[in-house]
Amino acid sequence: MCGIVGYKGHQQVSSVIVNGLRRLEYRGYDSAGVAIIENGHYVIKKCAGLVEDLEKLVNHSQLKGTVGIGHTRWATHGAPTNENAHPHLDYTGKIVLVHNGIIENYQTLKKKLAKNGVEFVSQTDTEVLACFIGSIYEKVQNFELAVRLALSEVEGTFGIAVLCLDEPDMMIAVRRGSPLVLGLGNNEFIIASDASAIVQHTRQVIYLNDNEMAVIDGDTYVTKTIYDQETDSEIQEVEFELEKIEKGGFDHFMLKEIYEQPETFHNAIRGRLLSAEGNVKLGGLGPVRDKIRAAKRIIITACGTSWHSALVGEYLIEQLAHIPVEVEYASEFRYRNPIIYPDDVLIGISQSGETADTLAALREAKQKGATILGIVNVVGSTIARETDAGVFIHAGPEIGVASTKAFTSQVGVLAMLAIYIGRMIHLSQREAKVIAQELEKIPQKIQQILDNADKIKEIALQYKDAQNFLYLGRGLNFPVALEGALKLKEISYIHAEGYPAAEMKHGPIALIDENLPVVFIATKDDIYDKIISNIEEVRARKGKVIAIATEGDTQILTLADHVIYIPETDSMLTPILAAIPLQLLSYYISVALDRNVDKPRNLAKSVTVE
Ligand code: F6R
């Protein structure tokens, strides 16, 4: 959570930082701030609210300076107030800091500092860190040394950018657990939580590793560990098209990303499907092919929407490759001393590649000897770098906080992975061919659903005032029900539950009355008749039925209040198509309720804290 930008160069720093923060606002948006060095003094502007509120403050103050740091916050310690907004100044007035992460031993450090008379103006762990560095700086009078000594005593996670008034030409950025990228421009340096805030200035970047720092001094920089060993960091060229992070004529990023899915799905499968041979090519898995073939089981771990795609993956891999699959919430898995065998393969799925729990689960499995793989969107992210091998989903930047295109691409990659593993073991060429050929048709089928968005909008307007929604599906469509409910609740704030349809009668059926919309994923498959019975049960209790059904199914018209058709496909690939109308339904409901679709309350795009 939280976005950090630091700049040292020849441009007016305030606008560079505000522009960078705008790009990072998906990471947190409850308060924002900048600190710049102006004529030998700090000028700090910060406020609760959005980056646009900060921009007004900054423009009003006409800040002038070429070195500064900025922050957009997702609160962990302390409410989103002006005082708790970053940057934080230490009690000496010399050290100023922005931070992404959590300082776990901040209470201990705070007590120690308070004993020596330090007073705090905020409730944050970050102010404690600034003061802790300041207290060491008072003694050693060496900025870099003070940062290193302080961080060697700090527990927890951090990505920080820090300045010292006595060294106005120096900026230090350090990472442990929270991502930081150093951009190397033409006589300018820019530090940011991810490359989207950097590409406007340069494409030459260094991804900092854990416990690594970048010390920028004048026109030069050095990277080293916090234990003072120089590191040989590789300069990488980021491939990033700027227009991919603009709205491109859509009202919201979420809508743009929903509409991008024919293209993003195509990008996920492009060059990988060998339909004629009934196989797939996943180059990134080459080095671990034998380990995958030998695996007795596969564990998939993830959070949120990525966890839902993992559930679909479980069905696909078990069905096509006949290997047992377990799906685990990363946050639960990591804390229960999981039993892991050296021949286990553990797959982490993550759009951002930075989710703290998923990363920690992968590290736990790696330490216990398993082979760890990543299905990740963001190239250069921590999970992408730390896994033994993996497959990128190539969905392009996902800015809307609600994940959409990442879900469909993740499922596409999981389907290919299931074919890949299946073909090494027992899946016939004929069966593989059928699925591969169907995967090729998915982009055009997604487009067909998008072309009928108006119908979904009408339904959305009819149900926007409902207090609760129930989403039901069976088999592969159960994770889709979970995903549909998650999409609705996170952006509309309407309570929604996803449930396996048959489980309804063991409890949730009590909720059903004439005010409850029930969304059924009722596509044609071998358990279609069972879901029809579940629809009857809801109708008998006067619930309103919205059915996602397969084109050509006329029976459903007599049972449901509303039918949204999706094109026919192999039942194993239905989740990809069924997710699209549910994304649109929640989008249109949220817009009708005037919610902040791209930045829903209390949320942030990537959860880099536990
Ligand atoms: C929901 C959503 C979240 C993320 C979750 C995992 O729309 O976006 O539930 O799916 O935070 O994030 P990643 O995939 O980046 O690990």
Side-chain angles (χ1 to χ4, degrees), residues 252 254-255 258 453 456-469 471 484-485 487-496 517 519 546 564 581-597:
H252 297 97
M254 183 180 176
L255 191 62
I258 291 173
I456 301 168
K457 192 173 181 177
E458 271 169 38
I459 300 172
L461 294 178
Q462 249 175 290
Y463 289 96
K464 70 178 177 36
D465 297 317
Q467 300 293 303
N468 297 288
F469 266 74
Y471 285 71
K487 279 304 76 102
L488 184 68
K489 68 186 135 196
E490 69 181 325
I491 59 169
S492 73
Y493 320 146
I494 295 174
H495 170 246
V519 180
I546 302 168
I564 302 168
L582 302 186
Q583 295 168 351
L584 286 167
L585 185 67
S586 42
Y587 172 79
Y588 287 123
I589 290 178
S590 308
V591 171
L593 293 174
D594 208 19
R595 306 292 191 228
N596 191 341
V597 172

Side-chain angles (χ1 to χ4, degrees), residues 106-288:
Y106 87 103
Q107 290 285 16
T108 316
L109 299 174
K110 192 171 186 176
K111 272 187 208 141
K112 231 187 211 169
L113 290 162
K115 240 189 208 165
N116 295 330
V118 175
E119 286 177 16
F120 297 90
V121 291
S122 78
Q123 287 85 51
T124 63
D125 51 342
T126 305
E127 188 190 4
V128 175
L129 179 58
C131 291
F132 186 47
I133 295 173
S135 69
I136 298 177
Y137 180 70
E138 270 193 317
K139 288 181 206 135
V140 300
Q141 289 297 305
N142 177 319
F143 176 32
E144 185 200 318
L145 181 63
V147 172
R148 282 198 280 106
L149 291 176
L151 293 181
S152 59
E153 280 188 51
V154 160
E155 289 163 20
T157 55
F158 48 79
I160 59 169
V162 49
L163 300 174
C164 174
L165 208 51
D166 292 341
E167 303 273 3
D169 246 6
M170 193 180 267
M171 178 164 69
I172 297 180
V174 199
R175 169 204 161 125
R176 183 191 295 157
S178 305
L180 267 189
V181 189
L182 168 64
L184 307 170
N186 200 356
N187 291 326
E188 59 181 354
F189 299 94
I190 180 157
I191 293 279
S193 301
D194 79 37
S196 64
I198 294 180
V199 283
Q200 211 171 337
H201 304 275
T202 176
R203 285 172 187 276
Q204 307 284 311
V205 302
I206 292 173
Y207 293 97
L208 293 185
N209 291 311
D210 276 351
N211 292 317
E212 191 176 30
M213 62 201 292
V215 182
I216 296 154
D217 191 5
D219 295 338
T220 61
Y221 77 96
V222 63
T223 57
K224 51 169 77 175
T225 67
I226 61 168
Y227 314 108
D228 205 20
Q229 291 140 340
E230 279 205 22
T231 51
D232 195 9
S233 300
E234 186 193 350
I235 300 176
Q236 301 189 29
E237 172 100 14
V238 258
E239 287 171 25
F240 209 99
E241 292 163 48
L242 218 46
E243 62 270 22
K244 290 266 157 75
I245 51 175
E246 311 285 355
K247 277 193 211 141
F250 285 88
D251 287 344
H252 297 97
F253 280 112
M254 183 180 176
L255 191 62
K256 176 186 173 226
E257 287 157 8
I258 291 173
Y259 272 81
E260 276 175 358
Q261 288 175 104
E263 182 193 339
T264 52
F265 193 88
H266 180 69
N267 289 343
I269 57 174
R270 193 179 44 199
R272 290 168 165 171
L273 283 179
L274 309 171
S275 300
E277 295 166 38
N279 213 332
V280 295
K281 191 172 78 191
L282 297 173
L285 299 184
V288 293

Side-chain angles (χ1 to χ4, degrees), residues 216-494:
I216 296 154
D217 191 5
D219 295 338
T220 61
Y221 77 96
V222 63
T223 57
K224 51 169 77 175
T225 67
I226 61 168
Y227 314 108
D228 205 20
Q229 291 140 340
E230 279 205 22
T231 51
D232 195 9
S233 300
E234 186 193 350
I235 300 176
Q236 301 189 29
E237 172 100 14
V238 258
E239 287 171 25
F240 209 99
E241 292 163 48
L242 218 46
E243 62 270 22
K244 290 266 157 75
I245 51 175
E246 311 285 355
K247 277 193 211 141
F250 285 88
D251 287 344
H252 297 97
F253 280 112
M254 183 180 176
L255 191 62
K256 176 186 173 226
E257 287 157 8
I258 291 173
Y259 272 81
E260 276 175 358
Q261 288 175 104
E263 182 193 339
T264 52
F265 193 88
H266 180 69
N267 289 343
I269 57 174
R270 193 179 44 199
R272 290 168 165 171
L273 283 179
L274 309 171
S275 300
E277 295 166 38
N279 213 332
V280 295
K281 191 172 78 191
L282 297 173
L285 299 184
V288 293
R289 195 182 152 87
D290 292 341
K291 299 246 183 201
I292 297 175
R293 188 207 307 264
K296 299 274 180 309
R297 68 166 177 172
I298 291 174
I299 300 168
I300 313 183
T301 187
C303 305
T305 289
S306 298
W307 185 78
H308 297 154
S309 66
L311 289 177
V312 179
E314 176 182 14
Y315 280 85
L316 292 170
I317 296 171
E318 290 196 342
Q319 196 76 29
L320 297 176
H322 284 203
I323 297 185
V325 178
E326 288 168 25
V327 176
E328 300 267 6
Y329 278 121
S331 52
E332 293 295 322
F333 179 76
R334 59 181 292 201
Y335 283 115
R336 64 173 166 77
N337 194 14
I339 298 165
I340 295 175
Y341 304 108
D343 58 1
D344 281 341
V345 167
L346 199 116
I347 304 172
I349 305 182
S350 175
Q351 186 285 128
S352 60
E354 299 293 350
T355 299
D357 285 320
T358 309
L359 180 60
L362 287 165
R363 283 178 178 161
E364 172 76 15
K366 187 172 192 163
Q367 209 210 326
K368 289 183 167 164
T371 301
I372 59 166
L373 311 180
I375 295 181
V376 170
N377 190 27
V378 179
V379 178
S381 59
T382 312
I383 293 178
R385 288 184 296 134
E386 289 200 12
T387 37
D388 297 318
V391 187
F392 285 112
I393 64 168
H394 295 315
E398 192 180 63
I399 312 282
V401 163
S403 191
T404 51
K405 60 179 181 173
F407 175 80
T408 44
S409 295
Q410 286 165 350
V411 176
V413 165
L414 285 160
M416 289 189 291
L417 181 65
I419 297 174
Y420 178 85
I421 305 173
R423 289 295 285 131
M424 285 195 278
I425 306 170
H426 84 112
L427 183 69
S428 74
Q429 191 187 36
R430 193 187 52 80
E431 283 172 291
K433 246 186 199 175
V434 172
I435 314 267
Q437 282 167 356
E438 229 5 83
L439 274 167
E440 273 176 342
K441 294 182 197 149
I442 292 287
Q444 153 213 335
K445 293 184 178 181
I446 296 176
Q447 189 58 54
Q448 254 173 275
I449 301 171
L450 296 173
D451 291 343
N452 286 317
D454 282 351
K455 163 111 202 247
I456 301 168
K457 192 173 181 177
E458 271 169 38
I459 300 172
L461 294 178
Q462 249 175 290
Y463 289 96
K464 70 178 177 36
D465 297 317
Q467 300 293 303
N468 297 288
F469 266 74
L470 193 57
Y471 285 71
L472 300 175
R474 300 179 74 126
L476 273 152
N477 286 333
F478 161 54
V480 182
L482 293 177
E483 176 59 8
L486 176 63
K487 279 304 76 102
L488 184 68
K489 68 186 135 196
E490 69 181 325
I491 59 169
S492 73
Y493 320 146
I494 295 174

Side-chain angles (χ1 to χ4, degrees), residues 36-43 61-67 165:
I36 72 165
I37 301 181
E38 191 178 280
N39 301 324
H41 295 97
Y42 284 133
V43 182
S61 317
Q62 299 191 336
L63 305 184
K64 291 210 165 34
T66 55
V67 182
L165 208 51

